[in-house]
Amino acid sequence: MIATVVVCLFVTVGIANTATAQASDNDAQDGFLILQTNLHPPYQELQNGMLSGYSVSVLNCVFERIDVGYGFAIAPRQRNREMVRNGRADGFFLARISETMDEYAVATNPLALEKWMWVSSAIKSDDPRVSRRPKPGDFTTVGAILGSNEAEWLTEQGYTDVMRVPSIASLVGQVAAGRVEYALVDKNSFEIARNELGMGADKFMVQFERYAPLVVYFSNSYVAAFPDILDKLNAVLEFCETRPMRLEPWERDAIEQTQLPTVRQFASSPELVAHVQDQLAGAEQPKEDQKHLIDAEWKALARSGQSSDTAAEILLNDLSEHLRRFQSSVGNQVAEAFVFDVHGQIIGMSRLTSDFDQSDEAQFQMIESINRDQALIADIWYDASTRTFLSQITVPVVDPDTGRTMAALTVGLNVSAALRPDS
């Protein structure tokens, strides 16, 4: 492991996995790259002169796994994009997915999910502005960080007079002083800045606007030179992302009040119960070692989007077709739906799942649930197989005649669609 020093406004250190004497000779062979970034706590931040943060730790893990040399350089976000556009850098991170950037760069799967909030000065609970969000053209003073993902999005949405300030601390201070009525910021970054400024939560009103998946963009020229690296990176991301985004109380309440009743109704519907009974009737229970073999083959092929013979057979059964009709009926709020039996084996799915055996997953506990009205609502995490951020809802499927649990239904809720304010 060697240190590669890159200068671009700031000096930072990236890690390369090639020996110093061999680095220049091997660069063209191993895809050695320089990624531009900007300081954006808690995702990218400097600690004792070293670049750290959540996204940096994920990328360190990824590049080590795929054995590619790399370095990081810090510069303002706008300059980073221009360097990639002009072919002077191999890529940059973290960025929201944008049609404009898609013209000159290729996005990876998301590394993180930002929660964008409107932040304004605190007002009384009976003030009519409590439920108000600024709209384009309504003469409200709207602020964002200069060159940020939020500032770009505001421009695309038609906000014309956006006050752009150089840092999150400055923006929070402008809101507190009343010079900016509403600021659009990432929730994590806002809370860090607010705490560093010594301001309490009671000084602000915070309203959810949207989720924003964040990716690494690689330049078209780099992808053309090394076409396999992007697929390799995406394939190992799931092993390097270990931090789910916890559902906040309001998010969990929204799911329980809006989506959970629909899932429960579907799980107890005569049609679904009949399809589950048909799949279970006469089904042979494979031995444990055979189940492991089926699961291993399933996983290996699913990573490349292929179906094993077992998966292909399940995808064609009547239960899977019924699950697809359900998913289609609720629109883009649901990314997947699948049913597994009391042994944890998938018996029906609307689309290919990442694995066959669910007995080692948290939702398997619903099989042994004594309280038939219980439901498990999981925290938000990125699912590579659906390419969406999901919160999975799992409920038991109960035999109406005997009252015993036959199976469990899991519905993958697309939180970006299901929890936005206008959903």
Side-chain angles (χ1 to χ4, degrees):
M1 304 289 281
I2 66 168
T4 301
V5 179
V6 183
V7 181
C8 186
L9 187 62
F10 296 96
V11 177
T12 186
V13 175
I15 304 300
N17 57 9
T18 52
T20 305
Q22 297 175 332
S24 59
D25 294 334
N26 292 343
D27 284 354
Q29 298 176 9
D30 69 3
F32 185 93
L33 70 154
I34 300 296
L35 291 180
Q36 300 292 130
T37 191
N38 64 296
L39 297 182
H40 182 41
Y43 307 98
Q44 299 98 238
E45 52 190 331
L46 281 177
Q47 292 185 346
N48 299 321
M50 294 290 293
L51 187 64
S52 62
Y54 174 70
S55 61
V56 176
S57 64
V58 171
L59 289 175
N60 284 338
C61 169
V62 165
F63 290 128
E64 182 178 351
R65 282 179 174 268
I66 66 176
D67 194 28
V68 170
Y70 63 100
F72 297 139
I74 299 175
R77 186 186 296 270
Q78 289 175 311
R79 184 183 301 178
N80 291 337
R81 285 193 295 268
E82 285 305 309
M83 290 179 69
V84 173
R85 186 198 301 270
N86 298 330
R88 294 164 50 208
D90 299 316
F92 67 100
F93 68 97
L94 287 170
R96 68 190 179 93
I97 299 172
S98 160
E99 291 183 1
T100 301
M101 286 181 277
D102 287 341
E103 295 176 0
Y104 59 87
V106 182
T108 65
N109 287 346
L111 273 71
L113 182 68
E114 283 192 323
K115 193 179 297 184
W116 288 1
M117 319 294 288
W118 288 111
V119 176
S120 57
S121 295
I123 57 178
K124 295 181 179 180
S125 59
D126 58 352
D127 192 303
R129 293 174 296 169
V130 165
S131 60
R132 176 182 175 273
R133 288 177 174 80
K135 301 296 182 184
D138 65 1
F139 303 105
T140 300
T141 305
V142 172
I145 301 171
L146 178 67
S148 65
N149 289 311
E150 295 93 324
E152 289 181 348
W153 182 81
L154 287 170
T155 300
E156 292 176 0
Q157 300 304 306
Y159 293 85
T160 54
D161 296 321
V162 178
M163 181 180 293
R164 293 170 170 83
V165 298
S167 68
I168 181 67
S170 175
L171 183 58
V172 173
Q174 296 274 16
V175 172
R179 288 188 285 272
V180 172
E181 293 179 73
Y182 290 89
L184 186 63
V185 295
D186 167 55
K187 182 176 184 291
N188 284 334
S189 300
F190 163 70
E191 290 177 347
I192 290 173
R194 189 199 69 207
N195 291 335
E196 289 179 347
L197 292 170
M199 298 181 180
D202 58 339
K203 289 185 176 294
F204 301 94
M205 180 176 70
V206 179
Q207 301 177 82
F208 174 71
E209 170 58 36
R210 70 191 301 265
Y211 295 99
L214 300 182
V215 301
V216 179
Y217 265 106
F218 286 92
S219 69
N220 286 339
S221 57
Y222 182 85
V223 173
F226 304 99
D228 297 334
I229 284 184
L230 204 63
D231 287 339
K232 291 178 180 178
L233 185 152
N234 287 333
V236 301
L237 262 180
E238 63 180 296
F239 301 104
C240 294
E241 294 180 281
T242 58
R243 188 178 68 179
M245 177 181 288
R246 295 197 177 279
L247 287 169
E248 294 186 40
W250 72 266
E251 292 170 314
R252 191 171 292 276
D253 287 345
I255 292 173
E256 290 177 350
Q257 294 175 21
T258 307
Q259 280 84 21
L260 181 56
T262 300
V263 174
R264 279 181 169 149
Q265 183 179 13
F266 178 60
S268 61
S269 65
E271 295 85 356
L272 180 75
V273 170
H275 284 302
V276 170
Q277 289 172 330
D278 287 345
Q279 286 305 122
L280 295 176
E284 295 183 5
Q285 168 60 25
K287 295 180 180 180
E288 199 65 23
D289 56 348
Q290 184 182 0
K291 185 169 74 169
H292 289 324
L293 289 174
I294 294 173
D295 188 52
E297 182 187 21
W298 184 303
K299 287 179 179 178
L301 290 171
R303 288 194 187 102
S304 59
Q306 302 178 62
S307 301
S308 65
D309 290 343
T310 302
E313 182 179 348
I314 292 173
L315 281 167
L316 291 175
N317 69 34
D318 291 340
L319 174 57
S320 294
E321 178 58 33
H322 187 63
L323 293 171
R324 282 190 286 272
R325 287 196 296 269
F326 164 74
Q327 181 177 339
S328 177
S329 69
V330 295
N332 64 351
Q333 293 191 10
V334 169
E336 65 175 357
F338 59 88
V339 174
F340 56 91
D341 65 16
V342 295
H343 306 288
Q345 301 169 134
I346 297 286
I347 60 172
M349 53 188 173
S350 63
R351 58 176 309 286
L352 180 64
T353 61
S354 57
D355 54 0
F356 168 68
D357 184 12
Q358 305 296 304
S359 62
D360 58 348
E361 303 288 348
Q363 60 259 29
F364 184 66
Q365 65 183 274
M366 300 309 298
I367 289 295
E368 301 176 350
S369 173
I370 298 175
N371 180 2
R372 305 306 182 193
D373 293 327
Q374 187 177 353
L376 180 68
I377 301 176
D379 286 326
I380 301 169
W381 57 285
Y382 181 74
D383 177 51
S385 64
T386 61
R387 300 178 68 87
T388 51
F389 283 90
L390 302 180
S391 171
Q392 290 185 328
I393 307 172
T394 303
V395 297
V397 179
V398 179
D399 187 324
D401 296 326
T402 65
R404 69 179 180 86
T405 298
M406 300 185 296
L409 165 70
T410 293
V411 172
L413 193 68
N414 178 359
V415 295
S416 296
L419 295 180
R420 64 176 186 260
D422 59 344
S423 65

